[in-house]
Amino acid sequence: MRKILVLILLFSFKNLISQETKCLNSDFYNPNSEIVRIKNTSESIEKIIQSKLRIDSLKLYILKNTYVEFPKWSGYRRKGIDSGFKIILLNSSTNDFEFLIKGNKIDIKRQVFYKNEWKNLTPLKKSTIMICGTGYFKKGIIKTKDFFTFLAPCIEGELKVKSRFVFGNTIYSNEFEGLIDERFIEK
């Protein structure tokens, strides 16, 4: 009888036990401030170096199924999300690369493949960001042979889609599968 009770409890809590990582509730998702930059680590880059990258390029790469804890200061921690998957921006070129940082955010956005085309995600609610007029736009530099590491959460949703990230409008990551709330897909 005791064994049966234990089995019933295990089956009833199977979602809690089997879930690898907690995904962000779509009500809290904001595609305009999705990624968090973290400190570079050597293990972040090992898998990318092993893959076949075109030399002399800027590459955005998703490390699939590699979840890392968000820093304690991250807003995701306050929302109950403790980890995200890694995104690497690698400069394998012989030149430094300059880009614009807006409000301490690098322009990396998630896209989904929906109805035979890549679509941007849009926020459900308009956010009002106060701008004081100093330091909102600044220049960022990724040095030659250097990389930046970011984290992004998985998102709760009912629609299974092929996803990718885009840096600026020209540098696309490898594709990965995920879930999304259809309300975020740009019409």
Side-chain angles (χ1 to χ4, degrees), residues 16-78:
L16 294 174
I17 294 168
S18 66
Q19 193 173 13
E20 289 180 27
T21 188
K22 185 175 178 190
C23 293
L24 182 65
N25 182 311
S26 58
D27 291 337
F28 295 126
Y29 177 67
N30 181 353
N32 294 328
S33 61
E34 173 175 16
I35 64 167
V36 174
R37 184 166 175 206
I38 62 169
K39 185 177 179 181
N40 289 346
T41 57
S42 58
E43 66 268 5
S44 296
I45 203 71
E46 285 176 13
K47 289 182 182 178
I48 297 173
I49 291 171
Q50 291 169 1
S51 69
K52 295 173 184 152
L53 286 180
R54 202 175 78 218
I55 296 179
D56 207 29
S57 68
L58 192 63
K59 178 73 177 168
L60 192 60
Y61 192 80
I62 307 302
L63 294 177
K64 301 173 190 175
N65 302 319
T66 306
Y67 290 92
V68 176
E69 279 192 21
F70 279 108
K72 289 184 181 16
W73 51 262
S74 169
Y76 290 121
R77 301 283 292 218
R78 292 188 296 275

Side-chain angles (χ1 to χ4, degrees), residues 59-62 163-166 171-176:
K59 178 73 177 168
L60 192 60
Y61 192 80
I62 307 302
S163 299
R164 70 180 180 189
F165 282 88
V166 60
I171 299 168
Y172 301 98
S173 74
N174 52 316
E175 298 169 4
F176 61 98

Side-chain angles (χ1 to χ4, degrees), residues 1 4 12 22 29 33 35 40 52 71 76 81 83 91 95 98 108 112 114 120 124-125 159 161 169 172 175 181 186:
M1 185 66 169
I4 293 172
S12 62
K22 185 175 178 190
Y29 177 67
S33 61
I35 64 167
N40 289 346
K52 295 173 184 152
Y76 290 121
I81 308 304
S83 60
N91 183 1
N95 301 312
E98 295 182 1
I108 296 177
V112 296
Y114 181 74
N120 291 319
L124 295 179
K125 303 177 225 168
L159 183 64
V161 291
N169 291 317
Y172 301 98
E175 298 169 4
D181 186 323
E186 196 171 73

